[in-house]
Amino acid sequence: NRRVLVTGGAGFVGSHLCDFLVSRGDYVICLDNFFTGSKENVAHLLDKPNFELVRHDVVEPISLEVDMIFHLACPASPVHYKWDPIKTAKTSFLGTLNMLELAQRCKARFLISSTSEVYGDPLQHPQTEAYWGNVNCIGERSCYDEGKRIAETLTMDHWREYGTEVRIIRIFNTYGPRMALDDGRVVSNFVSQALTGKPMTVYGEGTQTRSFQYISDLIAGMVTVMEGPMIGPFNVGNPGEFTMIELAELVKEVVNPKATIVFQENTSDDPGKRKPDITKIKSALGWEPKVVLRDGLALMVEDFKKRLGV
Amino acid sequence: NRRVLVTGGAGFVGSHLCDFLVSRGDYVICLDNFFTGSKENVAHLLDKPNFELVRHDVVEPISLEVDMIFHLACPASPVHYKWDPIKTAKTSFLGTLNMLELAQRCKARFLISSTSEVYGDPLQHPQTEAYWGNVNCIGERSCYDEGKRIAETLTMDHWREYGTEVRIIRIFNTYGPRMALDDGRVVSNFVSQALTGKPMTVYGEGTQTRSFQYISDLIAGMVTVMEGPMIGPFNVGNPGEFTMIELAELVKEVVNPKATIVFQENTSDDPGKRKPDITKIKSALGWEPKVVLRDGLALMVEDFKKRLGV
Ligand SMILES: NC(=O)c1ccc[n+]([C@@H]2O[C@H](COP(=O)([O-])OP(=O)(O)OC[C@H]3O[C@@H](n4cnc5c(N)ncnc54)[C@H](O)[C@@H]3O)[C@@H](O)[C@H]2O)c1
Ligand SMILES: NC(=O)c1ccc[n+]([C@@H]2O[C@H](COP(=O)([O-])OP(=O)(O)OC[C@H]3O[C@@H](n4cnc5c(N)ncnc54)[C@H](O)[C@@H]3O)[C@@H](O)[C@H]2O)c1
Ligand SMILES: O=c1ccn([C@@H]2O[C@H](COP(=O)(O)OP(=O)(O)O)[C@@H](O)[C@H]2O)c(=O)[nH]1
Ligand SMILES: O=c1ccn([C@@H]2O[C@H](COP(=O)(O)OP(=O)(O)O)[C@@H](O)[C@H]2O)c(=O)[nH]1
Ligand SMILES: O=c1ccn([C@@H]2O[C@H](COP(=O)(O)OP(=O)(O)O)[C@@H](O)[C@H]2O)c(=O)[nH]1
Ligand SMILES: O=c1ccn([C@@H]2O[C@H](COP(=O)(O)OP(=O)(O)O)[C@@H](O)[C@H]2O)c(=O)[nH]1
């Protein structure tokens, strides 16, 4: 069976990807430095014969023999990636370079999980893959946004220069079980707040929009791109668009009808709106999301209740 | 006297900067890997007591004791930076990080020579420093453009995270003696072609614009920003704007009245126009360029004649 490396495999997205790969019979090496992920996220996989957990920081090179690399390792939420911005940039640049070099040596196929943040505060709406973005390169989000942009550059150049087989996806906001409780993301915040009887914190006016994709749709999209014939970049997201107020209303409805809202000051550089144009992946590879927000929110309540002890 | 490190000091801009610093009495360490620069550019400084030449690649860390770092090391013209795009990105990212770490350890002030290419193919004209740019992150110029963008990110984050004293300048197209003859830049091409009786190669329609700054103006601007109180970023360029056809006409006039023009296909991702808004540096620091294009072209003819052997 195929040997598949998942960097950042003990994180939110990575652990769901490991679940999928292990269950279809791949031999999975899950690599993580546990900065934002945890052993707990993959605890249920530890006794599988085709799963292996390695503590390693992708900033350092590593010698392995693998056939496929899903490169996810990178802090993903502002509260984490702003914690040590230089380290975040190193993770993005050196981590990607190290994994590309590993892919080149092993002749493995490499997929990088880039982000909708490469579009920054977009002037085109919805965003197609051809849009070059509107990104501040010296702001507080830059370590992440520019880190991912240059990671895409390295990926394309590795293909152009060495013929490394690469795939690029740009993930839009994703939610589901195992999201870090302390990641400050809007879905995890609202659901936790609604479950623990605290008011849901809406930043700014709450009129900014996002599109939210359920984790199972993302995993299907990632695997589809990895196995497809095209490099990308491909947007992987759910085009349903919601204001933060609409999201709060929906959480109230689905999670706790007694939940309340409180408005708080917004952070700088917060993109005003974001919504994927998924024409490219839909027409080229036939992928599209299946889970609507209302259903997805319901699917994460049990996990959050358990972890919050309510 | 001050110990000043100039990385990329054997290049076009770096060698002129070394000239200036040595002549005002600083102790200058010129560091270069001679990828696009050469010992010849600083040969006349080698016997000065306050000048030192070190062969080193900025991708690797180095231990030195210095008070000031002008960080210029990076291939600067498309023909050079596209030659090994991964190496270019490493030079930009790792080179900048290594020099920032050196600055932090020495408590030295650090200046990075960024570029107008961080604005990409700009949708704002002229470009102010507040403009976020329009840059393709997966194209053939991306290793340079995104390399410089993340170098700016690292620089700002070093200041925010560690308090390193930093300065950022965004240099617009600069010309003068010692430009590499083989760098494929428009001014060196046209002047060489005019001097050797070959037709001047205008790419595309020749209606794209650039602004051209003479080297002595840049050196004055760099030093002004380094010694000023503000981080920047500051545009450093000459706001005079010329189409490539106008430039060719002027070269014809100044360099060789018999020169002819030939049109050639353009490369992809070539920015359509570019012109600095220099309000910020002018009002904050009082710098502005002094040399107009016609005069600057005349000032480089002797050097080009000598090196071309005509
Ligand atoms: N969740 C989203 O909405 C979203 C959106 C866009 C992009 N992405 C991308 O998807 C990937 C996974 O995101 P996530 O939501 O699962 O975040 P996460 O924080 O849960 O997972 C990231 C994992 O990478 C690990 N990691 C971080 N730095 C590392 C390093 N230097 N070496 C080794 N491991 C390291 C963390 O410990 C964690 O387990 C990231 O690359 C992220 O940028 C996620
Ligand atoms: N000349 C311009 O019009 C212009 C415009 C914008 C920005 N800049 C910036 O100014 C700086 C100098 O440009 P230039 O025109 O003098 O180019 P140049 O190529 O003449 O000089 C660059 C120097 O850096 C050296 N170098 C390259 N990679 C290195 C590495 N890894 N380690 C050590 N040395 C290395 C080269 O050998 C060369 O001497 C560059 O950072 C460039 O991006 C120049
Ligand atoms: O922004 C950061 C900060 C830390 N780490 C890594 O996360 C792990 C835990 O870091 P911490 O600072 O908590 O130190 P430790 O727990 O190892 O003492 C180490 O591998 C760090 O290199 C990281 O990837 N990104
Ligand atoms: O408790 C919160 C957390 C976030 N947000 C907003 O929700 C949106 C999405 O933020 P998140 O951090 O989840 O994702 P990203 O900004 O990276 O898309 C942003 O506009 C935030 O300002 C909010 O209103 N309340
Ligand atoms: O895009 C490049 C390619 C090479 N180099 C460096 O330039 C020097 C000369 O490189 P070359 O490949 O010509 O090898 P060498 O002359 O050392 O055999 C070496 O330090 C390389 O690392 C560089 O800085 N950028
Ligand atoms: O022989 C040449 C070289 C360049 N150019 C054009 O001149 C402009 C400036 O090119 P250069 O490489 O000097 O600088 P940059 O594109 O980095 O500003 C671009 O539009 C090129 O297409 C040209 O017409 N003929």
Side-chain angles (χ1 to χ4, degrees), chain B residues 33-36 55 57 75 80-81 83-85 87-88 91:
Chain B
N33 75 346
F34 304 116
F35 173 50
T36 53
R55 177 189 279 267
D57 196 303
H80 294 136
Y81 67 67
W83 194 70
D84 181 352
K87 170 78 190 195
T88 300
T91 292

Side-chain angles (χ1 to χ4, degrees), chain A residues 33 35 57 83-84 87:
Chain A
N33 75 346
F35 173 50
D57 196 302
W83 195 70
D84 181 351
K87 169 79 189 195

Side-chain angles (χ1 to χ4, degrees), chain B residues 4 19 21 41 69 77 137 156 173 178 180 227 252 275 305:
Chain B
V4 183
D19 282 349
L21 299 171
N41 283 337
I69 303 174
S77 53
C137 71
M156 284 303 280
N173 300 47
R178 297 188 206 140
E227 288 172 359
K252 188 176 153 133
K275 167 185 166 147
K305 274 191 177 158

Side-chain angles (χ1 to χ4, degrees), chain B:
Chain B
N1 45 7
R2 264 185 309 213
R3 295 156 305 174
V4 183
L5 174 64
V6 179
T7 77
F12 162 50
V13 176
S15 64
H16 286 277
L17 180 63
C18 288
D19 282 349
F20 175 86
L21 299 171
V22 166
S23 74
R24 80 168 181 192
D26 291 351
Y27 188 92
V28 175
I29 302 175
C30 168
L31 185 159
D32 210 291
N33 75 346
F34 304 116
F35 173 50
T36 53
S38 68
K39 204 169 157 178
E40 206 189 310
N41 283 337
V42 290
H44 57 287
L45 296 173
L46 290 172
D47 62 356
K48 306 276 179 193
N50 57 337
F51 181 81
E52 199 177 310
L53 181 60
V54 178
R55 177 189 279 267
H56 179 78
D57 196 303
V58 291
V59 161
E60 306 297 334
I62 189 168
S63 266
L64 294 170
E65 300 303 321
V66 292
D67 306 303
M68 233 177 219
I69 303 174
F70 287 92
H71 177 47
L72 278 59
C74 186
S77 53
V79 59
H80 294 136
Y81 67 67
K82 288 179 183 177
W83 194 70
D84 181 352
I86 301 277
K87 170 78 190 195
T88 300
K90 284 170 75 175
T91 292
S92 219
F93 187 94
L94 291 173
T96 302
L97 193 58
N98 286 329
M99 292 308 123
L100 281 164
E101 283 171 3
L102 180 63
Q104 181 188 12
R105 191 175 56 70
C106 297
K107 300 197 185 356
R109 194 178 282 184
F110 169 94
L111 178 144
I112 175 138
S113 61
S114 183
T115 168
S116 54
E117 299 260 345
V118 300
Y119 303 123
D121 196 350
L123 304 173
Q124 182 192 94
H125 193 78
Q127 295 82 51
T128 64
E129 290 86 351
Y131 178 55
W132 286 358
N134 180 36
V135 176
N136 181 358
C137 71
I138 52 173
E140 298 200 344
R141 279 177 178 256
S142 307
C143 61
Y144 184 67
D145 301 3
E146 292 294 339
K148 287 290 187 180
R149 287 175 64 95
I150 192 109
E152 288 197 15
T153 307
L154 288 170
T155 302
M156 284 303 280
D157 279 330
H158 234 270
W159 169 66
R160 280 192 285 251
E161 211 172 332
Y162 307 116
T164 312
E165 262 198 84
V166 301
R167 300 290 182 267
I168 301 174
I169 61 170
R170 293 176 178 164
I171 305 175
F172 284 66
N173 300 47
T174 305
Y175 66 99
R178 297 188 206 140
M179 283 187 89
L181 294 171
D182 66 344
D183 68 0
R185 315 283 311 239
V186 67
V187 176
S188 41
N189 276 6
F190 286 5
V191 172
S192 301
Q193 289 157 347
L195 284 173
T196 55
K198 296 190 193 106
M200 293 182 285
T201 50
V202 171
Y203 298 165
E205 316 249 299
T207 51
Q208 69 272 42
T209 67
R210 291 291 187 280
S211 63
F212 299 100
Q213 156 175 254
Y214 189 66
I215 183 70
S216 60
D217 284 331
L218 170 58
I219 302 302
M222 276 179 111
V223 172
T224 302
V225 172
M226 178 61 115
E227 288 172 359
M230 289 161 69
I231 290 176
F234 288 107
N235 289 337
V236 183
N238 190 320
E241 189 182 4
F242 298 83
T243 67
M244 296 311 107
I245 297 201
E246 287 168 346
L247 175 67
E249 293 299 337
L250 208 54
V251 171
K252 188 176 153 133
E253 218 179 294
V254 176
V255 181
N256 180 1
K258 294 200 188 115
T260 57
I261 287 178
V262 64
F263 289 90
Q264 290 191 356
E265 208 192 332
N266 204 351
T267 56
S268 64
D269 286 6
D270 186 28
K273 47 186 183 169
R274 200 189 289 142
K275 167 185 166 147
D277 181 320
I278 57 165
T279 311
K280 186 173 169 185
I281 185 169
K282 201 169 155 182
S283 58
L285 305 174
W287 175 88
E288 65 182 315
K290 297 194 163 66
V291 184
V292 297
L293 184 53
R294 181 186 301 272
D295 296 346
L297 287 173
L299 286 167
M300 67 190 283
V301 173
E302 276 323 300
D303 169 72
F304 267 62
K305 274 191 177 158
K306 205 169 84 191
R307 287 192 291 150
L308 288 165
V310 296

Side-chain angles (χ1 to χ4, degrees), chain A residues 35 47 64 67 70 72 78 103 105 130 136 164 170 230 255-257 292:
Chain A
F35 173 50
D47 62 356
L64 294 169
D67 305 303
F70 287 91
L72 277 60
R105 190 176 57 68
N136 181 358
T164 312
R170 294 177 177 162
M230 290 160 68
V255 181
N256 180 0
V292 298

